[in-house]
Amino acid sequence: MTGGGRLTPLSEAQLAAWDARIQPAPEQIAPDVWALPVPIPAGTIPHTLCYALIGGDGVHLIDPGWDAAESRAALESGLEAIGRTTADVRSVIATHFHPDHLGAAQALREEVGAQVVFSDVEDSVLQQETAPAASDLASYREQLRTWGVPKARWDELLGSFDRAAHTSTGTPDVAVVDGSVLVLGGHRLQVIATPGHTDGHICLVDDERRLVYTGDHVLPRIYPGIGIGALPGSDPLADYFDSLDRLSPYDEYAVLPGHEYAFHGLGARCAQLVKHHLRRTTELVGLLGENPDRTIWEYARRLTWTAGWEGMTGFWLHSALRQTALHLDYATSPRSRDRLAAHRAEPARH
Ligand SMILES: [Zn+2]
């Protein structure tokens, strides 16, 4: 893994707006590429960065953002600011199925006939997530029991369990796979499968403009949750590390993420992400050494959490338990051996 470079914002305006929780103005990234903010209604994070690729045939959108009136109005005014309208949209590409990314795709297909593009794996993940059985609370109750969650915390976790809020609907008109090439009105994008955040997540590489669209796979400061849409039997954390490695050829490219701000220093950021997760896996390996028979709950409350364990409630508590379960799977998987050894051998910094 490279990572000697520094992480520098490409857009100070996007960075300042994110920190102030306001929408930045549409920003020109390349002569025919714009970043348009699309607010997330009542979200814990303020907005998605939708990218508008201007082609000879119209506009192609990467991650159109949430499907809500407020979000749509922002997308429309963003397009207007660059002299376009939604009627010009020819295709919509989603990095993954989460509603702050794929969200408005279906509506744009219905309204203006835009072609919807996402990965074939994500199509399977989405079908699994929207299947009627998936909304059944019984299986989640069973999970809380096997995780060893004290009964007193069940109501809070069951109350925050709302798959519908985390899911969009629809199937792709074009299902892409790793290595697919999309030619969109003069923009040639190579699809890189980057499972981890979700099993079917993709990044898109534009070699001509030296840009990489990273969705939620790599964000400049946020540590994306892992396995938020995983097929049975997958190992999202091991996949995530491999997916970070897959971006190493593009260290010099500008990074256009789904949130926060555009930046340079992809290798440096990937190295930080790996280190962050391996630190937690290593901590868990230590706890396993003390006692290999604890429940997920017992491991989770002994781990170090940025926001502290005591304040962990509702969805965040669920997320912490889920991340602990993933790290436990990873710690005991043969896929972790080499990476953990390399991590231990590295001199500790910061
Ligand atoms: Zn997102």
Side-chain angles (χ1 to χ4, degrees), residues 40 45 47-48 63 95-96 98-101 197 201 215-216 219 258-259:
I40 302 172
I45 54 172
H47 56 263
T48 302
D63 289 346
T95 56
H96 61 295
H98 290 162
D100 54 325
H101 297 263
H197 180 60
H201 192 290
D216 280 357
L219 301 167
H259 306 286

Side-chain angles (χ1 to χ4, degrees), residues 34-69:
W34 290 81
L36 310 177
V38 179
I40 302 172
T44 47
I45 54 172
H47 56 263
T48 302
L49 292 172
C50 165
Y51 296 97
L53 282 49
I54 313 299
D57 59 343
V59 178
H60 303 269
L61 298 178
I62 298 176
D63 289 346
W66 206 278
D67 186 22

Side-chain angles (χ1 to χ4, degrees), residues 105-174:
Q106 178 81 7
L108 287 165
R109 169 164 51 197
E110 283 164 14
E111 288 166 33
V112 302
Q115 223 177 28
V116 174
V117 183
F118 53 95
S119 83
D120 64 339
V121 176
E122 208 66 343
D123 189 19
S124 307
V125 174
L126 188 54
Q127 283 176 32
Q128 169 195 267
E129 295 286 319
T130 50
S135 60
D136 191 352
L137 282 177
S139 58
Y140 189 54
R141 246 179 241 278
E142 178 57 20
Q143 180 149 72
L144 296 184
R145 200 187 57 74
T146 53
W147 280 351
V149 177
K151 276 269 164 54
R153 306 299 297 270
W154 280 34
D155 281 352
E156 166 192 349
L157 285 161
L158 289 164
S160 74
F161 181 78
D162 179 7
R163 272 176 196 261
H166 302 282
T167 306
S168 343
T169 55
T171 51
D173 299 306
V174 178

Side-chain angles (χ1 to χ4, degrees), residues 104-293:
Q106 178 81 7
L108 287 165
R109 169 164 51 197
E110 283 164 14
E111 288 166 33
V112 302
Q115 223 177 28
V116 174
V117 183
F118 53 95
S119 83
D120 64 339
V121 176
E122 208 66 343
D123 189 19
S124 307
V125 174
L126 188 54
Q127 283 176 32
Q128 169 195 267
E129 295 286 319
T130 50
S135 60
D136 191 352
L137 282 177
S139 58
Y140 189 54
R141 246 179 241 278
E142 178 57 20
Q143 180 149 72
L144 296 184
R145 200 187 57 74
T146 53
W147 280 351
V149 177
K151 276 269 164 54
R153 306 299 297 270
W154 280 34
D155 281 352
E156 166 192 349
L157 285 161
L158 289 164
S160 74
F161 181 78
D162 179 7
R163 272 176 196 261
H166 302 282
T167 306
S168 343
T169 55
T171 51
D173 299 306
V174 178
V176 292
V177 299
D178 184 50
S180 293
V181 172
L182 294 166
V183 181
L184 308 165
H187 299 255
R188 188 181 184 280
L189 301 178
Q190 193 198 333
V191 174
I192 313 237
T194 49
H197 180 60
T198 65
D199 271 5
H201 192 290
I202 55 169
C203 290
L204 298 153
V205 172
D206 179 340
D207 284 314
E208 190 190 330
R209 294 169 189 75
R210 298 171 70 76
L211 305 173
V212 50
Y213 300 91
T214 57
D216 280 357
H217 179 51
V218 177
L219 301 167
R221 290 178 302 187
I222 294 171
Y223 288 93
I226 307 302
I228 313 177
L231 295 167
S234 67
D235 185 345
L237 197 53
D239 287 343
Y240 185 62
F241 290 135
D242 291 348
S243 296
L244 291 171
D245 285 350
R246 306 197 71 203
L247 296 186
S248 60
Y250 312 107
D251 189 26
E252 303 293 319
Y253 285 26
V255 185
L256 305 180
H259 306 286
E260 299 191 286
Y261 51 87
F263 66 99
H264 274 293
L266 181 56
R269 183 56 183 153
C270 287
Q272 285 174 359
L273 288 160
V274 169
K275 193 169 274 189
H276 169 83
H277 286 291
L278 286 182
R279 208 180 285 139
R280 184 163 289 156
T281 310
T282 304
E283 203 181 355
L284 192 49
V285 169
L287 293 174
L288 278 167
E290 284 171 16
N291 180 352
D293 299 319

Side-chain angles (χ1 to χ4, degrees), residues 10 14-15 32 57 73 80-81 85 126 165 199 218 230 239 246 250 258 265 271 294 339 342 349:
L10 193 75
Q14 287 177 346
L15 166 56
D32 48 6
D57 59 343
E80 221 167 89
T85 71
L126 188 54
D199 271 5
V218 177
D239 287 343
R246 306 197 71 203
Y250 312 107
R294 289 184 180 127
R339 258 186 225 282
R349 280 191 295 265

